[in-house]
Amino acid sequence: SIFKQWYQRRVAITAGGLVLEGFPRTPQEANFMVDSSLYPDACVILELEEDNVCDRLVPDKMKKWREKMAKKHARRERKLDRRRKKEKSTDCDSALIPLL
């Protein structure tokens, strides 16, 4: 009933139309729309080969993943550098103590 209220309000507000991406996904959702007299004016169904989807999505996802991994690696290197510098400074301090 919440969807029905939203849908009817939204249709009244956007007389030019609206897009429900991915709805209905299941037969139960489609039956709900029919039972509630919520009929779309048009329906677009896109069918793609799995290879085409992968060719379109994977390069962008891989680019984002590589950027994320590069940032993570850079953070790790900075942390290790700070740790190495700290260890060097404590090594130098302990080496000077016997000389004094």
Side-chain angles (χ1 to χ4, degrees):
S1 70
I2 294 172
F3 176 77
K4 184 177 180 180
Q5 292 171 2
W6 175 85
Y7 183 84
Q8 289 171 339
R9 198 172 330 121
R10 179 59 91 188
V11 169
I13 293 170
T14 58
L18 68 137
V19 174
L20 296 175
E21 180 183 355
F23 187 83
R25 288 183 191 260
T26 65
Q28 292 83 9
E29 291 173 346
N31 288 335
F32 167 78
M33 289 185 75
V34 170
D35 294 343
S36 302
S37 300
L38 302 172
Y39 302 107
D41 295 328
C43 184
V44 176
I45 300 172
L46 300 175
E47 291 185 23
L48 295 169
E49 298 277 332
E50 185 177 336
D51 293 340
N52 291 340
V53 174
C54 290
D55 290 345
R56 290 176 178 208
L57 295 178
V58 170
D60 187 47
K61 298 287 184 193
M62 285 300 293
K63 179 182 176 190
K64 289 179 182 178
W65 180 82
R66 285 186 181 116
E67 289 171 354
K68 182 179 176 180
M69 290 296 110
K71 287 178 184 178
K72 186 176 181 178
H73 182 71
R75 278 193 308 269
R76 185 178 296 144
E77 285 298 315
R78 285 193 304 269
K79 189 175 181 178
L80 286 172
D81 286 343
R82 285 193 301 267
R83 189 176 294 158
R84 287 182 197 125
K85 286 179 184 177
K86 186 176 180 180
E87 288 173 0
K88 274 187 180 179
S89 68
T90 55
D91 288 344
C92 291
D93 293 342
S94 60
L96 292 176
I97 292 172
L99 298 176
L100 295 175

